[in-house]
Amino acid sequence: MREAHDGEVWAMLTREAVLRPKAGGDQNLPVRFWIITMMLVLFGLSTLKLR
Amino acid sequence: MLLELFEWLGKDVRAFNVFGYITLRTVLAAMTALVISFVIGPWMIRRLTDLKIGQSVRSDGPQSHLVKAGTPTMGGALILTAVAVTTLLWADLSNRYVWACLATTVGFGAIGWIDDYRKVVHKNSKGLSAKSKFFWQTVIAATALSYLAFRANLPQQTDLIVPFFKTVAIPLGAVGFIVLGWFMVVGFSNAVNLTDGLDGLAIMPTVMVASALAIFAYVAGNKVFATYLGVPHIAGAGELAIFCGAIAGAGLAFLWFNAYPAEVFMGDVGALALGGALGLVAVICRQEIVLIIMGGVFVVETLSVMIQVASFKLTGKRVFRMAPLHHHYELKGWKENQVVVRFWIITMMLVLFGLSTLKLR
């Protein structure tokens, strides 16, 4: 939960902010490969029934 | 929806009868939700960005989180859209449990939507007040649970089942069922919301727990398996496996966009809805205690907040460097990715342990 509190920062920083990697960049490649693997596993499991 | 079509087609072409199997429809539901989310996701993120529906960040949180300000939020609407459409497509729409879960999920999502909308679009830092949020969660949960309690016609549909003990079933009655169910549904809704503080932290455990609940729902709905494994047979609960499969599929696709560094956050609209959904499925399948085990990460995150607040109010001292627990580990020096993946691993272990209760009786 990213709760809004009094005195919070409403700065609308762009996604090119120096401290944070660009969203959707190489850093989430491992996670995306895991997701692809899980999709393939689901498809493989479906072959148990689709015969 | 498609089930009726395939049943009609199956009268002439026997191959279509295969779609009557819950297991196949669960896998297809997961894939459908995945595809819907992948197709809609980029468009939705662009729309949220264009509408400047950006996340605000606590100034008293970890300083490294300040750069997350402006990342589109309310991405949970993507998950809910995929889950709702998929469930309506693949589930048996004459099943009351499916409608109870859908209605509760969408209702909690609406609460979260209003909260997010006020915070982000109206720039009202308070959003929906905690009391209002709690009140509406209670109304929706109590309505669904009352409907289920008064439609129950067998004791096993309301008794509290204790894991590992085949013959222990604590009779709750309708009132006890509603009270415990309220605790689970509202509790888990807020627990997932508290856990949603790092990129991907809440959604992957949700996917894992939903996948496990799909197995529990399938077993509970199958008289042969339920009798063999000694779990309560809840006729019709098997269709909830499709609902859970949709959550798992939509969640995986959302993680594509939500993994560090996130392009979108789920917001309260996603967190409240998904937590409520998990709680209600567990209540219907009579696996409340197992959900507390499998969803241990959510439980511990909530307890960390409660302990921190209680300790500070009573003694003036903090137990953790920061609550919820994931911030504590960040301030200890763990990188955000490390916290997230390590919590995923813990959840996987707890889910496996929870699944073992099916056999260890």
Side-chain angles (χ1 to χ4, degrees):
Chain A
M1 174 185 71
R2 294 178 174 88
E3 182 88 356
H5 290 277
D6 291 335
E8 69 177 352
V9 176
W10 284 99
M12 297 295 281
L13 298 173
T14 66
R15 274 186 262 146
E16 282 77 38
V18 171
L19 291 173
R20 182 166 165 82
K22 189 171 183 300
D26 293 344
Q27 301 241 350
N28 51 22
L29 257 182
V31 174
R32 289 184 168 184
F33 277 26
W34 296 347
I35 293 170
I36 291 169
T37 302
M38 274 187 254
M39 287 159 58
L40 294 170
V41 164
L42 272 179
F43 182 66
L45 284 172
S46 72
T47 64
L48 277 171
K49 207 67 194 178
L50 285 170
R51 297 179 157 266
Chain B
M1 207 178 291
L2 290 176
L3 183 63
E4 284 83 9
L5 172 66
F6 290 131
E7 279 174 353
W8 179 71
L9 289 169
K11 289 175 191 165
D12 296 318
V13 181
R14 284 184 62 186
F16 285 106
N17 288 334
V18 75
F19 292 101
Y21 292 106
I22 289 175
T23 44
L24 180 65
R25 282 188 286 130
T26 301
V27 172
L28 290 174
M31 289 170 151
T32 305
L34 252 166
V35 169
I36 290 174
S37 298
F38 276 135
V39 167
I40 298 176
W43 170 82
M44 187 171 273
I45 292 169
R46 271 199 307 277
R47 286 289 293 160
L48 292 172
T49 308
D50 291 345
L51 292 169
K52 291 193 168 39
I53 299 182
Q55 181 67 48
S56 59
V57 177
R58 299 163 57 174
S59 58
D60 57 345
Q63 294 302 295
S64 60
H65 284 212
L66 293 178
V67 293
K68 293 179 190 275
T71 304
T73 186
M74 298 171 78
L78 169 67
I79 303 173
L80 295 190
T81 304
V83 169
V85 170
T86 303
T87 304
L88 290 171
L89 277 177
W90 289 110
D92 178 1
L93 298 183
S94 64
N95 186 300
R96 65 176 186 268
Y97 297 126
V98 169
W99 284 109
C101 285
L102 261 182
T104 303
T105 304
V106 170
F108 275 49
I111 297 170
W113 176 274
I114 294 168
D115 186 33
D116 284 338
Y117 198 80
R118 285 186 187 183
K119 278 184 203 160
V120 173
V121 178
H122 292 170
K123 301 284 189 282
N124 176 352
S125 62
K126 288 188 173 47
L128 202 59
S129 70
K131 274 188 189 161
S132 297
K133 216 188 289 190
F134 196 68
F135 171 75
W136 287 111
Q137 285 178 316
T138 299
V139 165
I140 295 169
T143 306
L145 292 163
S146 302
Y147 169 70
L148 293 171
F150 292 109
R151 287 292 302 269
N153 47 20
L154 291 168
Q156 65 212 39
Q157 291 172 330
T158 54
D159 290 350
L160 173 63
I161 304 305
V162 178
F164 306 112
F165 297 98
K166 218 181 261 197
T167 55
V168 176
I170 303 168
L172 296 176
V175 173
F177 172 84
I178 293 169
V179 169
L180 177 64
W182 166 84
F183 178 77
M184 292 301 299
V185 175
V186 175
F188 257 82
S189 176
N190 290 299
V192 173
N193 197 16
L194 284 171
T195 307
D196 182 33
L198 299 179
D199 298 352
L201 180 58
I203 192 62
M204 192 58 175
T206 300
V207 167
M208 291 182 196
V209 172
S211 302
L213 283 176
I215 296 171
F216 278 100
Y218 177 72
V219 167
N222 186 304
K223 192 170 171 68
V224 172
F225 286 143
T227 308
Y228 171 68
L229 291 169
V231 297
H233 170 54
I234 313 290
E239 286 295 312
L240 290 180
I242 290 138
F243 177 72
C244 292
I247 291 177
L252 267 184
F254 181 76
L255 182 60
W256 187 276
F257 307 107
N258 184 240
Y260 181 85
E263 295 175 64
V264 67
F265 300 140
M266 70 165 77
D268 281 14
V269 59
L272 294 182
L274 291 174
L278 295 182
L280 190 59
V281 170
V283 167
I284 291 170
C285 298
R286 317 309 307 126
Q287 299 293 341
E288 292 94 339
I289 297 175
V290 170
L291 178 63
I292 291 172
I293 295 171
M294 297 195 299
V297 162
F298 301 126
V299 173
V300 167
E301 291 265 19
T302 307
L303 286 175
S304 72
V305 173
M306 292 162 68
I307 291 169
Q308 186 87 324
V309 169
S311 169
F312 194 73
K313 280 191 174 166
L314 292 173
T315 65
K317 289 182 187 167
R318 290 180 172 82
V319 172
F320 304 103
R321 294 186 191 200
M322 193 178 285
L325 191 65
H326 52 265
H327 289 325
H328 168 78
Y329 285 110
E330 277 193 293
L331 292 178
K332 279 189 77 172
W334 291 19
K335 295 283 184 290
E336 179 171 346
N337 258 346
Q338 283 181 313
V339 177
V340 170
V341 175
R342 287 173 180 181
F343 276 35
W344 290 355
I345 293 169
I346 292 168
T347 302
M348 178 58 80
M349 287 158 50
L350 291 172
V351 162
L352 284 175
F353 183 63
L355 285 170
S356 73
T357 65
L358 277 171
K359 200 70 191 160
L360 288 171
R361 299 179 152 265

